[in-house]
Amino acid sequence: MGGGGQLTEPEEPISGRAAGVYTWEEVQSHCNRNDQWLVIDRKVYNITQWAKRHPGGIRVISHYAGENATEAFTAFHPDLKFVQKFLKPLQVGELAATEPSQDRNKNATIIQDFHTLRAQVESEGLFRARPLFFCLHLGHILLLEALAWLIIWVWGTSWTLTFLSAVMLATTQLQAGWLQHDFGHLSVFKKSSWNHLLHKFVIGHLKGASANWWNHRHFQHHAKPNIFSKDPDVNMLHIFVVGETQPVEYGIKKIKYMPYHHQHKYFFLIGPPLLIPVFFNIQIMYTMISRRQWVDLAWALSYYLRYLCCSIPMFGLFGSVVFISFIRILESHGFVWVTQMSHLPMDIDHEKNQDWLSMQLQATCNIKQSLFNDWFSGHLNFQIEHHLFPTMPRHNYHLVAPLVRALCEKHGIPYQVKTLQQGFADVFRYVQK
């Protein structure tokens, strides 16, 4: 699960009880680090060794150990026939005929209705991308960046022009972030290799980051959104407490790393300003070097080389470092507010073993559609639809949204839509609460 990397041919089959018949209780017993089974379409697979070579990372597939991973498997892989051959050597059996298809207390009717909806969406061609849309999006990023540099090259580095250039470059960084997100989810081209190549170009050469780092982090978020110990986006490193459960647990255990009753105040000092320029940058560089991801490192260094060539003649080395730091801080603000307004005010808790639809709807909400909101957020104002169909090209979210809303109404699942202002305000109110 998590089609964020290159697949290699499967090796020898994993040992197991050949063609065995298992109960859910038996499958669920194989859920520790050194013994992992999961179920896809009623077939039982031993992924213990394969997880280490999984293109989406070891953690994202391990999060489904002992569970039915059918919905997640379908959501993450645009070409199911291609990945089937990687499953065959891993199969150790199937579920007993007396066992239900879903595990634990998952609602079979919701699962079936969502499966029907997905089939309808596929038949209507909503998973087919319009390459021109993404070409134009890339074009406007490159044009805006060129204009930002041209302003200070031609008219000088006054405070006003430098600030204007920084805002424009931060905007291009934010928009490039949304575009690399499209390629990372394999939602642009039919051939995965083309998506991978453009993903490395955009996130590496245009942003100075790592495709592999993003894949392994982001697919965990999609697989188990807002779930402690599984979604890295809610791992706040003891700096903030989130959700209804964590503050109570910290209180009982008397964990006081920070003055959490003041976190709505220091959030503005260390949250939006420092996430990208400090935490993400350190983590990205450490990951690329420690895991010897030299290709990603080369792409990232090409960004910094290009940036220094453009900025040093105007600002000098120290000025260039200050300038890029300011750009990163501006970008970080936009990134935090856009991504958190759809997740942070939602349910954040430990694993509940819910079906795909219920799990995603409890962790996500939408922001009202408008031309500005679509552009500013990279269409992540349709966070619900993106989480339900992560490989769907973003320009089709508005088409599937009414169908998703109808399905949610049928099953009494809340489908939240807010204004942009409400989304921003809810982040602050939630941190304060």
Side-chain angles (χ1 to χ4, degrees):
M1 292 176 297
Q6 300 285 2
L7 285 168
T8 56
E9 289 295 329
E11 297 175 357
E12 292 299 316
I14 304 299
S15 60
R17 202 166 76 192
V21 177
Y22 302 98
T23 64
W24 274 116
E25 184 178 359
E26 290 177 291
V27 173
Q28 290 164 6
S29 68
H30 298 271
C31 63
N32 60 66
R33 187 172 185 177
N34 299 315
D35 181 20
Q36 299 181 344
W37 290 12
L38 53 73
V39 174
I40 297 174
D41 289 327
R42 297 190 62 84
K43 293 181 174 61
V44 181
Y45 299 96
N46 184 338
I47 61 161
T48 308
Q49 298 301 320
W50 165 248
K52 300 173 184 177
R53 299 183 292 115
H54 181 238
I58 185 173
R59 292 182 180 177
V60 63
I61 193 170
S62 297
H63 290 337
Y64 275 88
E67 297 184 32
N68 186 348
T70 305
E71 291 182 296
F73 176 79
T74 304
F76 286 132
H77 299 98
D79 189 347
L80 295 179
K81 291 182 180 179
F82 174 72
V83 295
Q84 286 295 331
K85 66 179 180 179
F86 297 92
L87 288 177
K88 288 181 181 179
L90 311 179
Q91 186 177 347
V92 294
E94 59 185 25
L95 290 175
T98 54
E99 291 291 302
S101 296
Q102 71 280 358
D103 57 318
R104 295 180 172 87
N105 297 317
K106 294 178 182 176
N107 190 313
T109 304
I110 293 178
I111 293 174
Q112 181 56 49
D113 283 354
F114 181 72
H115 177 76
T116 301
L117 172 61
R118 184 179 179 90
Q120 177 187 348
V121 169
E122 289 176 345
S123 67
E124 293 179 0
L126 296 185
F127 283 93
R128 288 198 296 268
R130 298 198 302 268
L132 180 61
F133 172 90
F134 296 100
C135 286
L136 292 174
H137 193 75
L138 175 59
H140 105 284
I141 292 171
L142 298 176
L143 179 62
L144 191 60
E145 180 168 337
L147 288 174
W149 288 115
L150 192 63
I151 286 174
I152 54 178
W153 286 345
V154 174
W155 289 292
T157 55
S158 67
W159 284 104
T160 302
L161 292 178
T162 299
F163 178 78
L164 176 61
S165 178
V167 170
M168 294 172 69
L169 289 173
T171 302
T172 66
Q173 286 295 295
L174 197 61
Q175 290 300 316
W178 309 144
L179 184 59
Q180 69 82 22
H181 179 261
D182 297 315
F183 291 118
H185 277 293
L186 311 180
S187 62
V188 181
F189 298 109
K190 289 184 179 180
K191 289 188 176 181
S192 294
S193 58
W194 294 4
N195 286 298
H196 293 310
L197 178 61
L198 268 295
H199 187 210
K200 288 187 181 297
F201 169 75
V202 176
I203 196 173
H205 186 65
L206 297 187
K207 288 187 61 62
S210 164
N212 284 319
W213 169 84
W214 182 89
N215 287 332
H216 292 185
R217 179 185 177 92
H218 191 67
F219 280 111
Q220 290 185 73
H221 163 68
H222 270 269
K224 295 288 184 176
N226 283 13
I227 295 176
F228 291 124
S229 78
K230 294 186 176 181
D231 180 0
D233 286 5
V234 295
N235 178 14
M236 301 295 179
L237 302 175
H238 300 302
I239 298 174
F240 303 102
V241 289
V242 292
E244 301 289 340
T245 303
Q246 192 177 52
V248 175
E249 292 178 346
Y250 273 45
I252 293 173
K253 297 177 182 178
K254 297 183 179 180
I255 298 175
K256 300 178 181 179
Y257 291 98
M258 299 288 286
Y260 298 116
H261 54 292
H262 292 298
Q263 69 176 13
H264 58 292
K265 300 174 184 175
Y266 65 76
F267 171 77
F268 290 98
L269 298 176
I270 62 177
L274 302 183
L275 180 66
I276 288 179
V278 177
F279 178 68
F280 274 4
N281 270 337
I282 293 174
Q283 193 179 67
I284 288 168
M285 288 300 172
Y286 173 78
T287 299
M288 290 190 295
I289 294 172
S290 64
R291 297 182 181 178
R292 300 180 180 180
Q293 297 171 350
W294 308 128
V295 173
D296 277 15
L297 183 60
W299 278 109
L301 291 178
S302 74
Y303 163 79
Y304 287 104
L305 179 63
R306 177 172 57 86
Y307 168 79
L308 291 174
C309 289
C310 293
S311 62
I312 285 180
M314 306 300 298
F315 300 107
L317 181 59
F318 178 76
S320 296
V321 173
V322 173
F323 189 51
I324 195 173
S325 298
F326 182 61
I327 292 168
R328 292 294 194 203
I329 289 172
L330 291 177
E331 175 200 1
S332 189
H333 274 87
F335 174 82
V336 169
W337 289 106
V338 168
T339 55
Q340 294 309 306
M341 67 184 178
S342 296
H343 289 299
L344 196 60
M346 304 303 290
D347 184 60
I348 303 175
D349 209 335
H350 297 289
E351 178 66 77
K352 296 180 180 179
N353 299 112
Q354 295 176 298
D355 60 87
W356 187 255
L357 181 69
S358 301
M359 177 177 65
Q360 302 296 346
L361 265 294
Q362 283 199 4
T364 56
C365 68
N366 279 4
I367 302 299
K368 286 187 176 181
Q369 183 185 22
S370 71
L371 288 176
F372 175 79
N373 288 353
D374 290 354
W375 171 80
F376 178 67
S377 69
H379 287 86
L380 292 182
N381 50 327
F382 289 97
Q383 194 71 234
I384 292 173
E385 287 68 33
H386 170 59
H387 265 256
L388 292 176
F389 307 105
T391 60
M392 178 179 288
R394 64 159 109 159
H395 51 68
N396 288 336
Y397 291 159
H398 72 285
L399 299 175
V400 74
L403 303 177
V404 172
R405 184 193 286 265
L407 180 59
C408 290
E409 289 177 353
K410 176 182 177 180
H411 291 284
I413 300 175
Y415 182 102
Q416 295 189 40
V417 182
K418 306 175 182 178
T419 65
L420 187 65
Q421 293 79 3
Q422 286 176 326
F424 287 170
D426 281 352
V427 171
F428 174 74
R429 283 195 292 261
Y430 195 76
V431 172
Q432 183 180 35
K433 177 183 177 182

